[in-house]
Amino acid sequence: MALYTRQESRKWAKENLHGLANVVIPSFTQDLKGLNETGIRHDVRKSIDLGFTGTLLVAETATTLDEYIQFTKIAVDEAQGKLTIIHHASFHTLEENIDAVQAAEKAGAELVLLSYPANFYPKDSQEIYEYTKAFCEATNLGVILFPVPLWNFERLHPAAIDPKIIRQLLDDVPNIVAIKAEGGMPLIAGFTQCYQLFNDDVIVTTPLEKDAFALGNLVPIQWMGTSNYEMYGDVLPKLFNLMKEGRFEEVYEQYWKLTPARSTIGRFMASTDGAGLVNRMLWKYASWLTGFNGGPLRQPTMKINQTQMSAIRQALIKSGIDVTNDDDSQFFIGRNPEVNVKSESDLLKQS
């Protein structure tokens, strides 16, 4: 259950959300018929060890709703309060998203990142307001509002969500606690406008490390999330602490060292512009290089090829990141491979 009421959620967020929230992509058994609990627990522990303060449990990987709630329960149990567990409201319809967030709340999730369904095509900004308000009213959890080009909202306003609508939502919906401000990318105005207008009310952040560690040297940023920060190992949590301490010269020195990795991965991610999806396999591979579980993903999934894998590995090395010496073939197996016991027994019965 939530650690706070809807009316208390902003105060809770201001007091408790600090540092960086990465992502955990679910791990699956080798036959892809079930979740790999050992792999999931490995990734949650790794996130804690690297210094992250929260993690998003990624939903866009063809898990069923029941599996996603199982994923949440595993992560909550393994984290033992050492990570803020963030629910990913990225299911098919408003009704399913409400079912999912209510189940995730009971399972122990503490925060929500709000996405919008692929088939949601609002005719005006008011429909965005109505969807968002209806979702938020169905949960006690604090909600992160997420203006970003993924939703096809720019046809209604260049900032993805009209700032006037955001103002209306903040006035009417007490459990919106943060804004993950990526509207208008690659411009930074989506963040700067939200920060100027709304940071006194809620936490305003940009998850893009390429922007955040430069902007954070000018204005206070108390929390960053959610993104695949784990691909840099423990570098970004340490960099965030340097930024909070005002050690700007050291921040910039490390920031520029990450250029090979930042530009290489950025180039591959840009190659999928227009797809409206994040390449989770690419993210999972990059995190495997720095010690996460890896392992197979279900279809449909965006793919990663050997040219990309080799380039990412070398770019991380050039950026000073420690990476595994394991052959890339091991990524598709994972560090903690599990078989689906039920599936194996069924096969034996058939034989």
Side-chain angles (χ1 to χ4, degrees), residues 118-140:
N119 297 306
F120 178 55
Y121 191 84
K123 67 179 183 297
D124 55 33
S125 293
Q126 187 61 28
E127 288 192 8
I128 300 172
Y129 168 88
E130 291 167 0
Y131 181 102
T132 305
K133 185 171 184 285
F135 174 85
C136 294
E137 288 180 341
T139 180
N140 295 307

Side-chain angles (χ1 to χ4, degrees), residues 9 34 125 156 219-220 293:
S9 59
S125 293
L156 302 174
V219 297
N293 186 64

Side-chain angles (χ1 to χ4, degrees), residues 251-301:
V251 171
Y252 280 119
E253 183 179 359
Q254 180 61 64
Y255 177 91
W256 293 120
K257 286 181 181 178
L258 297 178
T259 298
R262 181 185 299 122
S263 59
T264 298
I265 294 176
R267 185 173 73 253
F268 291 143
M269 294 299 292
S271 70
T272 62
D273 277 356
L277 292 169
V278 174
N279 191 332
R280 301 295 183 187
M281 185 174 280
L282 188 152
W283 280 24
K284 199 166 180 67
Y285 171 76
S287 69
W288 172 79
L289 286 173
T290 57
F292 281 69
N293 186 64
L297 287 179
R298 286 176 177 166
Q299 297 198 70
T301 179

Side-chain angles (χ1 to χ4, degrees), residues 296-347:
L297 287 179
R298 286 176 177 166
Q299 297 198 70
T301 179
M302 303 179 86
K303 297 178 174 63
I304 186 169
N305 61 44
Q306 189 58 53
T307 298
Q308 293 169 328
M309 288 190 283
S310 298
I312 291 169
R313 181 187 287 269
Q314 291 307 311
L316 286 171
I317 292 171
K318 287 180 182 178
S319 296
I321 309 300
D322 291 331
V323 302
T324 182
N325 291 322
D326 291 347
D327 186 81
D328 285 336
S329 61
Q330 296 303 301
F331 162 66
F332 297 96
I333 298 171
R335 289 199 157 77
N336 302 277
E338 281 189 1
V339 296
N340 188 311
V341 176
K342 182 178 178 182
S343 175
E344 289 268 308
S345 63
D346 288 345
L347 287 172

Side-chain angles (χ1 to χ4, degrees), residues 47-295:
S47 298
I48 296 168
D49 292 344
L50 292 177
F52 295 105
T53 59
T55 196
L56 174 72
L57 304 182
V58 174
E60 299 165 344
T61 51
T63 49
T64 66
L65 179 52
D66 286 345
E67 286 175 329
Y68 185 83
I69 300 308
Q70 181 188 357
F71 177 29
T72 304
K73 290 177 179 178
I74 293 168
V76 168
D77 181 67
E78 187 62 39
Q80 291 294 301
K82 296 176 182 176
L83 284 174
T84 298
I85 299 299
I86 305 170
H87 170 68
H88 195 184
S90 187
F91 290 86
H92 298 100
T93 65
L94 174 59
E95 291 74 18
E96 188 177 25
N97 275 299
I98 288 173
D99 289 343
V101 74
Q102 290 176 347
E105 183 177 335
K106 290 178 182 177
E110 297 169 80
L111 199 61
V112 184
L113 178 66
L114 178 59
S115 297
Y116 295 89
N119 297 306
F120 178 55
Y121 191 84
K123 67 179 183 297
D124 55 33
S125 293
Q126 187 61 28
E127 288 192 8
I128 300 172
Y129 168 88
E130 291 167 0
Y131 181 102
T132 305
K133 185 171 184 285
F135 174 85
C136 294
E137 288 180 341
T139 180
N140 295 307
L141 295 178
V143 176
I144 306 165
L145 194 64
F146 189 14
V148 68
L150 294 171
W151 319 134
N152 189 29
F153 293 168
E154 283 78 9
R155 59 196 170 79
L156 302 174
H157 192 283
I161 300 178
D162 186 338
K164 293 184 176 117
I165 292 296
I166 295 178
R167 177 75 272 163
Q168 187 180 358
L169 283 165
L170 295 187
D171 289 344
D172 297 346
V173 183
N175 57 325
I176 293 176
V177 302
I179 303 173
K180 184 182 177 182
E182 295 185 61
M185 285 197 306
L187 304 177
I188 63 169
F191 167 78
T192 58
Q193 186 178 25
C194 280
Y195 193 96
Q196 290 176 306
L197 291 174
F198 310 125
N199 195 61
D200 288 342
D201 300 294
V202 298
I203 295 169
V204 177
T205 191
T206 171
L208 305 173
E209 63 83 19
K210 69 182 180 65
D211 296 334
F213 287 107
L215 291 165
N217 287 332
L218 300 174
V219 297
I221 296 178
Q222 79 167 66
W223 179 78
M224 286 169 54
T226 56
S227 194
N228 60 330
Y229 303 135
E230 66 279 354
M231 74 174 185
Y232 294 117
D234 65 355
V235 170
L236 295 190
K238 290 179 177 178
L239 197 58
F240 185 86
N241 290 336
L242 289 175
M243 182 176 70
K244 296 296 289 182
E245 294 167 8
R247 296 160 66 177
F248 302 139
E249 290 185 7
E250 294 173 74
V251 171
Y252 280 119
E253 183 179 359
Q254 180 61 64
Y255 177 91
W256 293 120
K257 286 181 181 178
L258 297 178
T259 298
R262 181 185 299 122
S263 59
T264 298
I265 294 176
R267 185 173 73 253
F268 291 143
M269 294 299 292
S271 70
T272 62
D273 277 356
L277 292 169
V278 174
N279 191 332
R280 301 295 183 187
M281 185 174 280
L282 188 152
W283 280 24
K284 199 166 180 67
Y285 171 76
S287 69
W288 172 79
L289 286 173
T290 57
F292 281 69
N293 186 64

